[in-house]
Amino acid sequence: MVERRGIGTILTHLALILGVAVLCFPIYLAFVGSTLSHDEILSVPMPLWPGGQMVENYSQALAAGTQVPVARMLFNSMVMAIGIAAGKIIISILSAYAIVYFRFPFRMLAFWAIFMTLMLPVEVRIVPTYEVAASLGMLNSYSGLILPLIASATATFLYRQFFLTVPEELAEAARVDGAGPVRFFKDILLPLSRTNTAALFVILFIYGWNQYLWPLLVTTRPEMNTVVIGLQQMMPSADDYGNWPVTMAAAILAILPPVAVVVFMQRLFIKGLIESEK
Amino acid sequence: MSAIAIRNVKKSYGGTQVIHGVNLDVAHGEFIVIVGPSGCGKSTLLRMVAGLETITEGEIEIGGRVVNRLEPRERNIAMVFQNYALYPHMTVFDNMAYGLKIAGLSKEDIRARVHKTAEMLQLTPYLERKPRALSGGQRQRVAMGRALVRDPAAFLLDEPLSNLDAKLRVQMRLEIKQLQRSVGTTALYVTHDQVEAMTLADRLVVMHDGVAEQIDTPLAVYSRPATTFVAGFIGSPAMNMLPAEAAGDGRLTLATGASIALRGVRLPDQGRKVILGIRPEHLAQVPAGEADLELEVIAVETLGADTLAHGRLGGGDFVVRLPGSSMVQPGDRLPMAIEPGMAHLFDAETGKRLPDDAPAAAPSRQAAEA
C-alpha cells in the first residue's frame, strides 16, 4: 500500500468524505422526509433536519401504506429475493458440479447453452416468459415471481471457475476414501464453496430485491406487489397529493433489508471475493 | 499368491500408447519403488493400480482379486498424493476419519483407530487443527495417517516427499520406511528421486518410456544395470559412458583411439561395438604409467567427503569421484585406472547389458560388417 503523510492524508480523506456525502445525501433526505408531516414536506424549502413525525409515519407505512401495508410488500419482496437467490444458487451449483466433474454426452454443448443465456436477460425474453407464466397459471403467485428468474448463467459460471481451482487430487482422494459423487459434493465441495456461496447470495439477494419489470408484469393484485413496485405506485401522480412522508418511510424501509444482508454477510462476502480456501 | 500382480498392463490415451506392457509381482509386505524420469508412465501405472485410470489392456490383481473394473474404494488401497490432497476444511481428525466414516465404522472404533494412528505419527497434539495450520512435514504425516488408519491391503504413494525441503525429505524417508516395516503393509511408491528409490525399496522398478527396464533389488540395479538407461539413471553422479569396440585381445579400443585392458570383465568377440560404462566412484588415481585413461580436469566440485572432477573424454562429459582430500585443480591431467571388475559393457545398438558370466553372444551383423 502506498504510504501518505501530512497533506496527502488530509486530501485523500477530504475526497473520500465528499464522495460519501454525495452518495448519502439523497438517502439522508429521504430519511428526513420520512420524519416530517405532510405539510412540512411540501413547504419550500424543505427542512433539512428530522422532524417529530417519525413514529407515526413509519407505523402508518408498515400497517396501512397507501393501498397495501408496506409490511406486506416487504414480505413479498423478501420471499422473492430469498427465493431467487436460493434457487439460483442451488441450480447453479448443481449444474456447475455436473459440468466440471462428470463426463456425459453433449457436456460442452450444455455448458455453452447455459453460457449463451447470458445474452438473454429478463427484459429480452419478457414477453414469451410472461406467456408461459400466464398459461401455467403463475400470475399473482410467489412461484410466478421467483421461478422465471431462477436460472443463472453467471452463478453457474462462477461455480464452474471455482470448481476448476479445486485440486483434482481432492476428488481422487475422496474417491479412494470411498466417497461417491453425492458424498463428495456434500462433504467436500459444499463446505469449500461456502465463502463463494455467501458472496453470491448477497449479490443475488440484491438482484432479486431490486427486480422491477418482471414483478410489475406478473403481479396485478396490489397485495402481491413487491416493495419496489409498491414504492412507485405510492408516488403521487397527476392531480393527486399523495402522502410523501409515508412514501419516504416506505423507501427507507425498502433499503433496510439489502443493507442488513450486506452488513451481516460482509465478512464472508469479502472473503469470498478475495480468497480461495486452499 | 502375491499381494499385487500386474500382468502385461498397457495404457493408451486416444491412439497413443504410453505404457507398453508392464509385468510385476509384488509379495506381501514388500516395498516396491517405481522410479523413472518424468513422463515415463510411473504415475500412470500407480494410478491404474489405484483405480483412478482405466486399464487399456492387461490385468491388475490385488489380494488375488482382479480389480480392473472395481472402483478405488472397492480395491482396499490407500493413496498418498504428492500435494497430500488433505481436505482443507476438515480438522486433522476428520481428515483421517473420513474414509472410516464412509466405511460405516462406529464412532468409538473411529476414535480409537485415529488416536492410535495419530500416536504412531506423533500427530496427537494436532488432531483438532486444520491442515492450513500445519507445516509441510506435518501435512505429509497427516496424509500418511489417512492412509495408515484404514489398514488397507496396499499403500500407493505418488511422490509423497517431493513437496518437502531437503532435510525433511531425508527424515520422512526414514520414517516412511520404518512405518511400512512396522505395519508390514505392501507399498508401491513412485518417485523420480533415485536416492529415495535406492534407500526405500525392497525392489526397484526402473521405468523408461512406458517400459519397466529393470526390476530388481537396489543393489542389483546399481551393480548390474540392465540397460544404458538404467545405468545412467541410477547412481549420482551418473555413470560415464564411452563408445568402444572390442579389440579381441582382452582389450577395448575407445572411440578416442585409446586402448584399455579390462580386468575382471568378460569381453565380447572382436569387432563388436559396445558402450563401456564406468561409475565415477570406480576409478582411481594412479601413477601415470599404470593409467587406463587420462582425464583433463575442467571443473572441480568439492563436496567435503568426496571431490568430483569433471572433464571431457571421447566427446562426452566424464566425472570422477576422488577422495575428499584430493587436491586436484582444473587444468590438471589425471591418470586413472578402472577398478577390476567394475566396468559395465552394453550393446551399442540395443543398449542392453552384455552377459558377463555367459559366453558373449555372437556379434550382431552390423557390428561384424563394421
Side-chain angles (χ1 to χ4, degrees):
Chain A
M1 215 175 273
V2 185
E3 207 174 319
R4 290 271 183 92
R5 280 166 201 286
I7 192 82
T9 317
I10 296 170
L11 279 178
T12 37
H13 274 85
L14 268 180
L16 286 172
I17 289 166
L18 188 73
V20 170
V22 168
L23 279 177
C24 289
F25 184 69
I27 296 170
Y28 175 71
L29 212 58
F31 172 70
V32 170
S34 72
T35 60
L36 299 174
S37 71
H38 194 62
D39 295 334
E40 283 172 312
I41 255 188
L42 292 180
S43 64
V44 181
M46 182 187 138
L48 282 180
W49 298 108
Q53 296 282 312
M54 184 168 166
V55 178
E56 292 87 333
N57 289 343
Y58 278 86
S59 43
Q60 197 198 335
L62 278 175
T66 46
Q67 303 162 34
V68 186
V70 175
R72 169 83 201 181
M73 296 195 291
L74 281 173
F75 176 76
N76 292 345
S77 275
M78 197 64 104
V79 169
M80 177 166 134
I82 289 177
I84 289 178
K88 270 179 188 280
I89 283 170
I90 290 167
I91 287 195
S92 307
I93 199 169
L94 286 175
S95 25
Y97 180 49
I99 284 168
V100 174
Y101 285 97
F102 294 88
R103 227 169 287 137
F104 52 90
F106 308 116
R107 177 163 141 267
M108 280 326 274
L109 184 76
F111 173 68
W112 283 109
I114 292 172
F115 201 59
M116 295 277 272
T117 60
L118 273 180
M119 292 180 217
L120 300 171
V122 184
E123 292 76 11
V124 175
R125 56 187 165 86
I126 203 153
V127 176
T129 309
Y130 180 84
E131 174 66 29
V132 171
S135 28
L136 288 175
M138 294 202 296
L139 301 184
N140 287 313
S141 70
Y142 289 125
S143 43
L145 279 170
I146 294 167
L147 289 180
L149 299 181
I150 244 179
S152 173
T154 328
T156 309
F157 194 68
L158 222 112
Y159 275 120
R160 173 183 177 266
Q161 295 309 101
F162 170 71
F163 289 165
L164 289 178
T165 67
V166 174
E168 213 173 309
E169 283 87 355
L170 227 50
E172 286 171 351
R175 259 179 91 188
V176 173
D177 268 342
V182 176
R183 273 206 105 108
F184 171 66
F185 179 72
K186 191 178 66 119
D187 291 347
I188 316 279
L189 272 188
L190 267 189
L192 281 182
S193 43
R194 201 176 51 121
T195 50
N196 287 51
T197 307
L200 257 181
F201 182 83
V202 171
I203 295 169
L204 296 176
F205 180 88
I206 292 167
Y207 165 86
W209 188 269
N210 287 341
Q211 279 304 311
Y212 179 73
L213 197 54
W214 179 250
L216 187 66
L217 271 182
V218 86
T219 63
T220 45
R221 297 214 315 269
E223 62 269 27
M224 284 306 291
N225 276 352
T226 62
V227 75
V228 176
I229 298 177
L231 261 184
Q232 201 273 336
Q233 283 166 358
M234 284 165 92
M235 301 276 215
S237 51
D239 47 355
D240 175 18
Y241 272 138
N243 190 343
W244 275 112
V246 171
T247 310
M248 286 300 164
I252 294 294
L253 286 170
I255 295 174
L256 289 180
V259 169
V261 166
V262 171
V263 167
F264 286 121
M265 308 266 281
Q266 190 184 30
R267 204 175 52 86
L268 278 173
F269 177 75
I270 290 171
K271 244 175 140 186
L273 288 185
I274 61 174
E275 153 198 308
S276 58
E277 190 162 353
K278 272 173 272 58
Chain B
M1 186 187 73
S2 43
I4 302 173
I6 298 173
R7 296 217 189 85
N8 200 26
V9 161
K10 296 179 183 171
K11 175 75 186 177
S12 311
Y13 290 106
T16 332
Q17 200 172 58
V18 291
I19 290 186
H20 311 284
V22 170
N23 286 289
L24 175 66
D25 265 295
V26 184
H28 279 285
E30 208 176 4
F31 200 122
I32 296 278
V33 175
I34 306 172
V35 66
S38 47
C40 69
K42 55 190 190 303
S43 282
T44 312
L45 186 64
L46 189 79
R47 292 165 57 82
M48 284 197 283
V49 177
L52 297 171
E53 299 272 355
T54 55
I55 300 159
T56 313
E57 215 177 293
E59 252 180 18
I60 293 181
E61 262 182 31
I62 298 176
R65 214 164 35 126
V66 178
V67 295
N68 281 33
R69 304 203 149 272
L70 295 185
E71 271 288 298
R73 67 183 133 160
E74 298 162 314
R75 297 187 182 199
N76 193 20
I77 45 106
M79 189 150 172
V80 177
F81 294 86
Q82 180 175 355
N83 62 6
Y84 319 137
L86 301 177
Y87 310 122
H89 59 292
M90 293 186 191
T91 61
V92 170
F93 181 93
D94 289 333
N95 260 289
M96 287 166 71
Y98 189 57
L100 303 177
K101 225 179 266 173
I102 292 176
L105 266 69
S106 75
K107 276 229 166 72
E108 301 83 74
D109 264 3
I110 293 176
R111 274 185 61 81
R113 279 170 80 161
V114 171
H115 279 284
K116 193 171 141 242
T117 311
E119 198 64 46
M120 196 156 53
L121 291 162
Q122 292 133 42
L123 281 172
T124 317
Y126 308 109
L127 279 178
E128 293 313 313
R129 289 211 199 159
K130 297 254 175 87
R132 208 179 341 177
L134 297 177
S135 70
Q138 290 163 343
R139 285 182 208 186
Q140 218 290 323
R141 280 215 188 94
V142 178
M144 283 299 297
R146 194 167 61 176
L148 278 169
V149 78
R150 293 181 44 206
D151 192 20
F155 293 136
L156 309 177
L157 303 102
D158 192 358
E159 309 210 10
L161 300 183
S162 46
N163 282 8
L164 298 178
D165 63 54
K167 193 167 166 231
L168 213 49
R169 202 176 303 163
V170 175
Q171 186 195 336
M172 287 308 293
R173 198 165 76 201
L174 280 171
E175 278 186 30
I176 288 181
K177 181 77 181 171
Q178 284 165 359
L179 270 176
Q180 192 267 345
R181 281 264 167 75
S182 65
V183 295
T185 307
T186 314
L188 273 184
Y189 184 110
V190 161
T191 181
H192 62 265
D193 181 320
Q194 46 139 329
V195 181
E196 255 170 52
M198 294 290 287
T199 50
L200 284 172
D202 292 328
R203 277 195 301 157
L204 269 182
V205 179
V206 185
M207 283 195 72
H208 177 46
D209 285 344
V211 175
E213 297 236 340
Q214 189 168 9
I215 303 176
D216 216 329
T217 62
L219 218 56
V221 171
Y222 173 80
S223 55
R224 303 193 58 217
T227 64
T228 48
F229 172 81
V230 177
F233 191 77
I234 299 291
S236 173
M239 187 187 278
N240 298 298
M241 308 266 188
L242 298 167
E245 193 176 316
D249 51 355
R251 300 180 77 84
L252 276 180
T253 312
L254 296 185
T256 54
S259 173
I260 310 179
L262 286 182
R263 285 153 295 167
V265 174
R266 174 183 284 275
L267 280 170
D269 299 338
Q270 185 178 2
R272 177 133 183 208
K273 298 224 158 151
V274 296
I275 288 173
L276 169 65
I278 315 155
R279 294 203 181 274
E281 50 270 41
H282 294 150
L283 286 156
Q285 202 174 346
V286 292
E290 301 161 25
D292 294 322
L293 302 160
E294 198 177 56
L295 180 74
E296 190 178 337
V297 178
I298 298 172
V300 176
E301 287 178 303
T302 316
L303 304 178
D306 323 288
T307 299
L308 300 177
H310 293 262
R312 286 185 76 76
L313 205 86
D317 294 323
F318 201 91
V319 190
V320 188
R321 190 192 291 269
L322 298 169
S325 55
S326 172
M327 285 309 187
V328 63
Q329 298 287 331
D332 287 358
R333 297 187 77 82
L334 286 182
M336 280 170 321
I338 303 165
E339 287 177 18
M342 289 304 183
H344 307 265
L345 290 176
F346 304 94
D347 188 284
E349 294 285 320
T350 60
K352 287 211 161 54
R353 183 184 191 83
L354 296 182
D356 20 22
D357 27 26
S364 68
R365 190 174 299 154
Q366 293 94 323
E369 283 164 1

